[in-house]
Amino acid sequence: GDSDIAAFQKSAELLKIDPHIVKNTTFINCHGKGTIPAFIRVLNHFYKNFLVVYDKDGDEEFNEIISKTAQERGLGQVKMIENKLEDILGIPEGSKDKPILAILQVQDLYEKKQLDIKLGELIRFIFGAQK
């Protein structure tokens, strides 16, 4: 979602990911896990490399569909995270202005020297950067 994208971009900035890599990364908000396979099929059709990041929600069959669809042409990589990013960042369910809250929470984690612990691995996966 929008708050995830805001958190990823702010984290990349604070973790000093190469700005050229960040600038050349396009995020697609699929507005829910249900539409991810359709986006994957479009990217596969046009032979575009891609990453899929989504949170686990207990629907193992659908998680398998996403994984299999991403592997059809060998262009995609999948990263399923255990918890919603809002939960990782401590953003209450139903909060307004979640993208702004996500940025503020990322900044707070950075100042507490916990950003790399909480999101570093995920951010490096997304931007293909090494620690």
Side-chain angles (χ1 to χ4, degrees), residues 22-111:
V22 176
K23 181 180 149 201
N24 289 317
T25 301
T26 301
F27 289 93
I28 300 172
N29 182 347
C30 295
H31 298 283
K33 194 158 89 168
T35 61
I36 292 174
F39 281 95
I40 291 172
R41 284 191 286 279
V42 169
L43 293 166
N44 275 332
H45 177 79
F46 289 104
Y47 292 93
K48 296 292 182 183
N49 293 319
F50 60 90
L51 304 173
V52 177
V53 177
Y54 67 97
D55 56 85
K56 180 180 180 179
D57 68 1
D59 187 348
E60 294 302 322
E61 186 176 328
F62 201 75
N63 294 336
E64 184 65 28
I65 290 169
I66 291 172
S67 182
K68 284 179 80 173
T69 308
Q71 294 172 11
E72 284 177 0
R73 292 215 170 142
L75 299 169
Q77 296 180 54
V78 175
K79 180 83 164 177
M80 181 176 64
I81 57 177
E82 289 296 317
N83 300 307
K84 290 182 185 179
L85 192 67
E86 287 92 345
D87 294 339
I88 294 169
L89 295 175
I91 298 172
E93 191 74 31
S95 296
K96 293 184 179 184
D97 302 320
K98 286 198 300 187
I100 303 265
L101 289 174
I103 290 169
L104 293 173
Q105 290 298 95
V106 164
Q107 183 70 44
D108 186 56
L109 286 172
Y110 177 76
E111 290 169 5

